[in-house]
Amino acid sequence: MQQIIKSDHLVTDVEKAIQALRHDKLFVLTDENTHIHCLPLIAKIPLLQEAKEIVIPAGDTNKTIENLSRVWQLLTEHGATRHSLLINLGGGMVTDLGGFAAATFKRGIRYINIPTTLLGAVDAAVGGKTGINFEGYKNEIGSFYPSESVIISSGFFRTLDRAAILSGYAEMIKHALIHSEAEWEEILAYPFDEVDYSKLNELVVRSVKIKQDVVEKDPFEKNIRKALNFGHTTAHAFESFAMTNGKPIPHGYAVAWGMIVELWLSHRLCGFPKEKLQRSVRFIQEHYGAFPITCDHYEALYEITRHDKKNIGATIHFTLLGDIGDVRIDQTADKELLFEAFDFYRDSVGL
């Protein structure tokens, strides 16, 4: 299982993680942003002096087979073997694509994730899901292939703007909702007006452990790991819809808006308490604003949702909640009910 390292001394912790894994050659994958802003924070590590850096374009729209192929190509050109080690230094796009490159190159090489965004730390870097977008669909091609370790350092979070912090925080809201009322209360009480990075790091590590506990019970998503999909069926539809229209949205924002839809479905189908629905929705609306959709978009969103990887045949599967911590996997909703949920979403965010 992945080792989660809460790093208070980034250089020392990265050095130890590399030393723990015997390798013949070392590679570092960055994007154009992390090459400039993040690599210098670890560049002085002696072990990295001989490492080959691979730089790909930034942004989720670049999580493509072309960039994956470029990583394979450069690994090959620089003589990587099955005993080489890859370090993914970046947000979710880098750890998703880099993890998939590691999973498939020479049928699998070892890798380390160093997430540089809050979203990457609480979501993509942990749990072993890797992949790329394909034909307009999010994470359509990929594999389960965990990194050897994940190094979480709040030093990176200090460089993030409010939108990037909120994007990661949405996954933390989700983890709280599937875990416990106490965690949910604390997550909703966090003061965004004055970010306390020490407190944030504490909440992040707790959130990561919630995810890791779920993944350990069900690494290949046959059962309870589906809990982590809460909010995501709708979120992926919003993301794919936005991408197709040339206006990509941050993954965490899509998750926040997706949770509004799926909390309402939880209320209707599983009896999720109305007061907790309203408090959760109010928090999301206040912090995340709205993804603008109209009734005219419902059909397109429904078609994308039908294509979701979690579905069986033509039936749309959701992970819903009977209450906070009461996860109900493999719930189904028909087209009419989903359209009602979209209505509720639009009313909730003031569209």
Side-chain angles (χ1 to χ4, degrees):
M1 207 57 209
Q2 287 177 307
Q3 183 187 11
I4 308 296
I5 300 166
K6 178 178 179 281
S7 176
D8 297 312
H9 305 284
L10 183 62
V11 168
T12 305
D13 292 330
V14 172
E15 195 164 29
K16 281 182 186 170
I18 296 169
Q19 285 171 337
L21 301 168
R22 291 184 64 184
H23 57 275
D24 55 7
K25 292 195 174 181
L26 186 60
F27 294 83
V28 180
L29 179 66
T30 61
D31 65 25
E32 291 157 340
N33 293 332
T34 59
H35 164 74
I36 295 167
H37 300 292
C38 302
L39 187 59
L41 299 180
I42 60 170
K44 289 184 178 160
I45 295 172
L47 287 165
L48 288 180
Q49 302 312 305
E50 300 299 317
K52 299 290 182 191
E53 185 189 5
I54 299 172
V55 186
I56 56 176
D60 201 71
T61 51
N62 290 301
K63 200 164 72 174
T64 61
I65 196 161
E66 290 78 18
N67 284 313
L68 175 67
S69 182
R70 175 173 162 73
V71 175
W72 288 331
Q73 180 188 348
L74 290 170
L75 287 170
T76 301
E77 281 179 14
H78 292 297
T81 74
R82 292 186 75 177
H83 306 289
S84 297
L85 178 64
L86 176 67
I87 296 173
N88 294 322
L89 180 68
M93 188 277 272
V94 170
T95 59
D96 276 355
L97 187 146
F100 191 39
T104 46
F105 186 79
K106 305 278 189 189
R107 295 202 181 97
I109 63 173
R110 294 187 297 178
Y111 72 105
I112 293 169
N113 280 337
I114 308 178
T116 58
T117 64
L118 187 63
L119 179 62
V122 296
D123 185 32
V126 180
K129 280 188 179 180
T130 70
I132 57 168
N133 304 330
F134 189 68
E135 296 291 319
Y137 293 104
K138 176 97 175 156
N139 299 329
E140 183 77 348
I141 312 292
S143 66
F144 290 96
Y145 192 73
S147 63
E148 297 295 321
S149 57
V150 181
I151 300 170
I152 296 173
S153 168
S154 64
F156 293 119
F157 307 154
R158 292 176 185 274
T159 67
L160 302 176
D161 61 21
R162 184 184 173 91
I165 287 178
L166 281 169
S167 194
Y169 208 77
E171 290 285 351
M172 295 165 66
I173 298 168
K174 177 200 76 177
H175 290 156
L177 280 165
I178 67 172
H179 184 254
S180 70
E181 197 158 330
E183 193 72 20
W184 175 73
E185 289 281 4
E186 192 156 0
I187 287 288
L188 293 197
Y190 184 77
F192 274 99
D193 297 334
E194 223 169 280
V195 177
D196 177 343
Y197 289 98
S198 172
K199 177 66 175 173
L200 182 61
N201 209 32
E202 178 192 317
L203 290 174
V204 168
V205 172
R206 284 214 315 250
S207 192
V208 167
K209 285 184 174 162
I210 291 170
K211 176 169 184 175
Q212 192 180 32
D213 286 348
V214 173
V215 171
E216 280 180 1
K217 290 172 188 161
D218 179 21
F220 298 109
E221 203 172 291
K222 303 294 184 195
N223 196 306
I224 194 58
R225 181 169 178 160
K226 294 176 186 177
L228 298 170
N229 293 330
F230 176 66
H232 280 60
T233 299
T234 310
H236 287 160
F238 285 165
E239 282 182 282
S240 294
F241 181 75
M243 205 183 297
T244 303
N245 288 300
K247 296 177 181 175
I249 54 177
H251 174 68
Y253 278 64
V255 170
W257 297 321
M259 283 192 288
I260 293 179
V261 172
E262 295 179 29
L263 279 167
W264 184 85
L265 288 172
S266 296
H267 175 64
R268 274 293 300 270
L269 296 173
C270 307
F272 186 85
K274 189 172 184 180
E275 189 267 335
K276 292 172 188 174
L277 164 68
Q278 289 170 336
R279 275 188 64 195
S280 301
V281 167
R282 197 178 311 120
F283 182 91
I284 292 167
Q285 190 275 326
E286 284 172 3
H287 290 87
Y288 294 87
F291 176 57
I293 60 169
T294 69
C295 302
D296 294 339
H297 299 141
Y298 288 8
E299 198 69 45
L301 287 165
Y302 172 71
E303 284 305 316
I304 297 168
T305 307
R306 283 182 59 211
H307 202 276
D308 193 275
K309 296 181 293 298
K310 297 176 286 296
N311 294 336
I312 299 168
T315 308
I316 299 173
H317 281 241
F318 292 90
T319 292
L320 301 178
L321 303 173
D323 202 338
I324 293 169
D326 177 10
V327 178
R328 312 279 181 92
I329 64 170
D330 295 330
Q331 301 296 305
T332 61
D334 61 21
K335 184 176 183 178
E336 186 182 348
L337 198 61
L338 185 58
F339 282 16
E340 282 185 50
F342 289 150
D343 284 340
F344 174 80
Y345 160 78
R346 289 176 59 234
D347 288 343
S348 299
V349 297
L351 292 174

